[in-house]
Amino acid sequence: MRRAVSDEDKGIRREEILAAAKRVFAANGFHQTAIADIARAAKLSYGSVYWYFDSKEALFQALIEREEQALWRHVGSAVAASGGEDPERILTLGVRATFEFFAADPAAARLLSFDRFTDDIERLIVDAQRRGVVVDAPPRILAVSVAAVISSIAGRVDGDSDAAAEVAVSLLLDGLRRR
């Protein structure tokens, strides 16, 4: 493979490394993956990977950040359609978009941890509690529960991500809705 000289070529090479890392980390996990495995998958020399990333940890962190941003862009565009008024509709659209994203990209589902999204979910719950839509319970516990349900289902749905989203949202709301 020829050397990347221009900034554009370097950006492309970095993305190639991240794409290879995604495949290898998703298949083998973080601890079972070596930089040499990623270099081989990217068809690069071992040292080339270190030109772009200081360590396996730095490469993994960059990959996770890239995947999280892609997920949030996808979910954000879906949720924007809700108009931001109805917490139930926001949850439904967000869960459906999450399942669609992971159905289209199962490797991302194996890589991302929903623990990192708990703060965002908690903010939605606090807002819904202010509106009187969600039970009066500790928002953090509710957020962790929502994240656990979504992450347990995401990436394990074969086929109809819309149906899975409807089941998950129904399960969540029936447990969260004020009675």
Side-chain angles (χ1 to χ4, degrees):
M1 191 174 280
R2 70 178 187 79
R3 185 171 177 212
V5 177
S6 71
D7 287 343
E8 183 180 346
D9 285 346
K10 289 176 183 176
I12 291 168
R13 181 68 40 84
R14 186 177 192 281
E15 286 302 312
E16 290 170 347
I17 293 168
L18 286 168
K22 180 178 179 178
R23 291 189 307 273
V24 176
F25 282 130
N28 302 335
F30 177 81
H31 295 291
Q32 298 301 322
T33 297
I35 288 290
D37 300 325
I38 295 166
R40 193 172 21 263
K43 297 182 173 98
L44 295 171
S45 70
Y46 181 82
S48 294
V49 175
Y50 283 110
W51 182 260
Y52 294 89
F53 301 95
D54 293 335
S55 64
K56 180 173 85 167
E57 291 78 10
L59 171 55
F60 187 74
Q61 184 61 38
L63 174 62
I64 295 304
E65 288 172 7
R66 184 184 81 159
E67 295 303 310
E68 285 175 350
Q69 290 170 2
L71 172 60
W72 278 120
R73 278 191 306 274
H74 185 76
V75 171
S77 66
V79 168
S82 74
E85 293 302 315
D86 179 10
E88 184 173 333
R89 179 139 170 81
I90 292 169
L91 178 64
T92 301
L93 292 172
V95 171
R96 182 177 295 138
T98 300
F99 288 175
E100 288 168 357
F101 182 86
F102 288 136
D105 190 353
R110 289 190 293 278
L111 291 172
L112 292 178
S113 166
F114 277 82
D115 293 341
R116 293 172 60 117
F117 300 110
T118 305
D119 291 341
D120 298 311
I121 295 168
E122 184 176 6
R123 280 191 290 280
L124 290 172
I125 288 172
V126 167
D127 180 58
Q129 285 176 325
R130 281 189 201 120
R131 296 170 189 231
V133 177
V134 172
V135 296
D136 186 24
R140 189 67 178 180
I141 293 171
L142 295 175
V144 168
S145 301
V146 168
V149 168
I150 294 170
S151 67
S152 293
I153 298 170
R156 293 175 180 85
V157 176
D158 291 328
D160 194 354
S161 58
D162 282 347
E166 294 301 322
V167 168
V169 169
S170 176
L171 175 67
L172 290 166
L173 290 178
D174 288 342
L176 295 176
R177 189 174 283 129
R178 191 178 289 273
R179 290 172 177 70

